[in-house]
């Protein structure tokens, strides 16, 4: 039974031993020597765009060749950790918010050596990749969250489409009207698992917080944070969302694509999914998240970072700077996620004129950063362990949240 | 008495097993020793460790999740032993003379064994789906409203055991078939002359002579079940992962917990202590089986 696991570990081991070595030391001193940089990415859809960017970069830097290394998301962090431990990490690689501080605090990635103009990117993104006051890496792309809604289900119940300035009360009223128990249709699905699209957004909208700015204290016992969670558990209690068992068997996105839920809180990254799916194609549109105490959405984006152990730090930084440039952003925006560079996003919006994609860009002005600390993964696990009890109704939401806060605080104390 | 040249012969013997021995030493023994050492340390996420003595083992005792994972793993292992009588039954049926399509049946039983566990888990996940699954559809035809099999704490473990048995019965069956075919025909002829019917022959000839095979199968099954990971990993979790499943507390196994500690929460020293505990459990349960074999295993 554990054959696959041991094969995975063995594979990692071999990959580590096979990759070590290589690269000549002379080049570090000589800026004109020919070098090859490895560039680690996880998205197969974006690999062609990344290769196009690498080719474009080599045009202006003929001495530097870029080798794009694709590792699928499921194995990306496991393999990266193994190759870092074995001293063979890629020279440049993709980084995300939850993992960033772990890598920065262990000096696996290097802070930026020179000055760069960070004002061209949304501030929550550059903040996300700043550790102990030093910026590491430049944002590549970004994503925000919106409410994807099924126009057909709205029309059937004669519910007006969401307005840009709608509130929690409007959302709850719409959910109640759209729910049709006889047909097995729910107004929305209070998903547990993708906190970026659900819990973190309502927590921010309620005026609560997940983790204190210094990263030392959990916010889950704050009454406002609990209000952001109750928003969801009430929907399950009122049967306007499927229960957790149903959502475990069939994920909310599958329910949405089967016409069983009317409103799905999803990210800008869902565009390609919903425009390709035969059911949702032409049937859905997107609205901003409803306003609670305040208006908020979580913003997240991938950054390009340089390995702390690269033999070619100067060349690697040249490449990262290029990837963060306006030219690169324009290439990226034509066929990929929303580029992070301010003012280059029009190509992305224009790619699907049938959808109000501008919604995702407009929400950047009130976006809050993705909550992270040094060992984010540890308390992400605790969030699921404790909040599952609130989602099934086994415990009141405030009790589960308070227990989670205690567990999370003790995990933070160990960081 | 030592024959002249026997030393040389022994050296040749050792030379022949040396490659395998070396392989075992490098890929099995050395990692075990390393893990034992790591279980006494605390690890950073990227290597580098500090000695903490038996702290990790103390934590094992007070961690409710460890207890839970042990109970689940042992329940799964115990229930999984049902696959042995099933495999014996099917093996006897498939061993009958003059049965038609016997090759087809043997293939059908063996197919799950050569299928990737992840593929098995994904197909069964779909069969078990509460709203769209085939099982609940069939139940609905006779008026039963089926549960969310793998998301309901009441049914999740049993749903998993069924898949585990289904996936392993073919492997056990093939071994029992081999065991059956090694039983000399003369025993049955003698039993028939003495007036023993089919059932008496089965209980007094077949079963005792199959007991060494059954012993082997039970040792291997127990060790395999105790290491259960991939079925749970895939069947318990949807997009959000297994922990968002309300039945997770009934499904979590020791290896799953090890995986979470080692690769998710970056707590590798503790993860090493968890697998050392599993190693000890396997050794103890295997030793118990060897000890009790004298009571029921008959070597012809």
């Amino acid at each position: 039974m554990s054959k696959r696991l041991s094969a995975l570990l063995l594979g990692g081991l071999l990959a580590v031993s096979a990759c070590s070595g290589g690269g000549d030391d002379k080049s570090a001193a000589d800026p004109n020597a020919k070098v090859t940089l490895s560039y680690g990415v996880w998205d197969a859809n974006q690999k062609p765009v990344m290769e196009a960017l690498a080719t474009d970069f080599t045009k202006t830097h003929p001495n530097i060749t870029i080798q794009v290394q694709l590792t699928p998301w499921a194995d990306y962090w496991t393999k990266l950790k193994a190759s870092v431990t074995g001293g063979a990490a890629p020279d440049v690689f993709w980084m995300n918010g939850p993992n960033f501080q772990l890598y920065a605090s262990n000096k696996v990635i290097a802070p930026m050596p020179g000055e760069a103009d960070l004002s061209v990117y949304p501030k929550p993104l550059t903040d996300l990749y700043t550790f102990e006051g030093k910026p590491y890496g430049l944002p590549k792309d970004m994503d925000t969250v919106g409410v994807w809604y099924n126009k057909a289900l709205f029309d059937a119940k004669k519910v007006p489409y969401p307005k840009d300035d709608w509130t929690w009360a409007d959302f709850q009223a719409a959910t109640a009207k759209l729910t049709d128990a006889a047909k097995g249709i729910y107004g929305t699905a209070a998903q547990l698992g993708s906190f970026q699209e659900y819990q973190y957004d309502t927590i921010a909208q309620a005026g609560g917080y997940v983790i204190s700015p210094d990263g030392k204290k959990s916010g889950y016992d704050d009454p406002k944070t609990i209000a952001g969670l109750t928003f969801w558990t009430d929907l399950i209690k009122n049967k306007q969302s499927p229960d957790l068992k149903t959502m475990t068997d069939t994920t909310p996105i599958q329910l949405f694509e089967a016409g069983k839920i009317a409103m799905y809180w999803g990210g800008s990254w869902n565009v390609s999914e919903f425009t390709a799916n035969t059911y949702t194609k032409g049937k859905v549109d997107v609205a901003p998240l409803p306003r609670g105490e305040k208006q908020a959405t979580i913003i997240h984006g991938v950054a390009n970072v340089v390995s702390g152990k690269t033999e070619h730090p100067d060349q690697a930084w040249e490449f990262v700077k290029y990837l963060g440039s306006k030219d690169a952003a324009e290439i990226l925006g034509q066929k990929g996620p929303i580029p992070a560079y301010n003012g280059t996003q029009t190509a992305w919006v224009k790619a699907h004129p049938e959808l109000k994609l501008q919604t995702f860009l407009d929400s950047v002005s009130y976006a809050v950063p993705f909550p992270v600390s040094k060992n984010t993964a540890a308390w992400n696990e605790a969030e699921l362990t404790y909040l599952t009890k609130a989602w099934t109704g086994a415990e009141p939401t405030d009790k589960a949240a308070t227990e989670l806060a205690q567990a999370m605080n003790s995990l933070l104390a160990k960081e | 008495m030592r024959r002249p040249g026997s030393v040389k012969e022994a050296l040749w013997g050792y030379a022949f097993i040396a490659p395998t021995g070396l392989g075992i030493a490098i890929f099995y023994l050395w990692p075990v020793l390393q893990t034992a050492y790591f279980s006494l340390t605390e690890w950073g996420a990227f290597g580098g460790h500090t000695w903490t003595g038996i702290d990790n083992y103390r934590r094992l005792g007070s961690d409710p999740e460890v207890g839970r994972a042990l109970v689940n793993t042992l329940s799964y292992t115990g229930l999984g032993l049902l696959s042995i009588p099933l495999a014996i039954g099917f093996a006897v049926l498939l061993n009958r003379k003059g049965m038609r399509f016997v090759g087809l049946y043997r293939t059908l039983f063996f197919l799950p064994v050569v299928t990737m566990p992840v593929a098995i888990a994904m197909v069964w996940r779909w069969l078990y789906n509460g709203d769209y699954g085939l099982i609940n559809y069939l139940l609905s035809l006779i008026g039963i409203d089926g549960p969310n099999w793998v998301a309901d704490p009441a049914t999740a473990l049993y749903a998993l055991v069924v898949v585990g048995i289904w996936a392993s019965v073919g492997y056990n069956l093939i071994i029992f078939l081999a065991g059956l075919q090694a039983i000399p025909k003369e025993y049955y002829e003698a039993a028939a002359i003495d007036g023993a019917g089919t059932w008496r022959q089965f209980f007094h000839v077949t079963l005792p002579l199959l007991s060494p095979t059954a012993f082997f199968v039970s040792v291997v099954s127990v060790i395999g079940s105790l290491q259960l990971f991939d079925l749970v990993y895939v069947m318990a979790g949807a997009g959000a992962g297994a922990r968002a499943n309300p039945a997770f507390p009934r499904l979590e196994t020791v290896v799953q917990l090890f995986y979470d500690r080692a690769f998710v929460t970056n707590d590798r020293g503790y993860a090493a202590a968890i697998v050392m505990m599993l190693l000890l459990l396997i050794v103890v349960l295997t030793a118990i089986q060897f000890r009790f074999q004298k009571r029921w295993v008959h070597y012809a």
Side-chain angles (χ1 to χ4, degrees), chain A residues 3-66:
Chain A
K3 251 180 255 161
R4 280 175 52 77
L5 185 63
S6 49
L8 189 83
L9 296 177
L10 187 64
L13 202 73
L14 292 177
V16 170
S17 54
C19 299
S20 56
D24 45 333
D25 295 327
K26 279 176 235 160
S27 59
D30 179 4
N32 293 321
K34 281 206 181 290
V35 300
T36 301
L37 297 178
S38 48
Y39 180 32
V41 304
W42 64 66
D43 185 354
N45 294 327
Q46 288 188 48
K47 196 182 176 217
V49 191
M50 292 300 122
E51 275 164 349
L53 289 171
T55 316
D56 192 55
F57 174 72
T58 304
K59 273 183 212 152
T60 50
H61 299 78
N63 291 327
I64 310 175
T65 322
I66 309 292

Side-chain angles (χ1 to χ4, degrees), chain B residues 124-162:
Chain B
W124 276 91
R125 223 194 119 78
W126 174 75
L127 292 174
Y128 276 139
N129 187 297
D131 296 310
Y132 305 103
L134 186 66
I135 293 174
N136 278 3
Y137 171 72
L138 293 176
L139 286 176
S140 75
L141 295 181
I142 52 167
I144 296 175
D145 191 14
N148 295 83
W149 295 94
V150 289
D152 192 324
T155 55
L157 182 72
Y158 305 104
L160 199 71
V161 168
V162 168

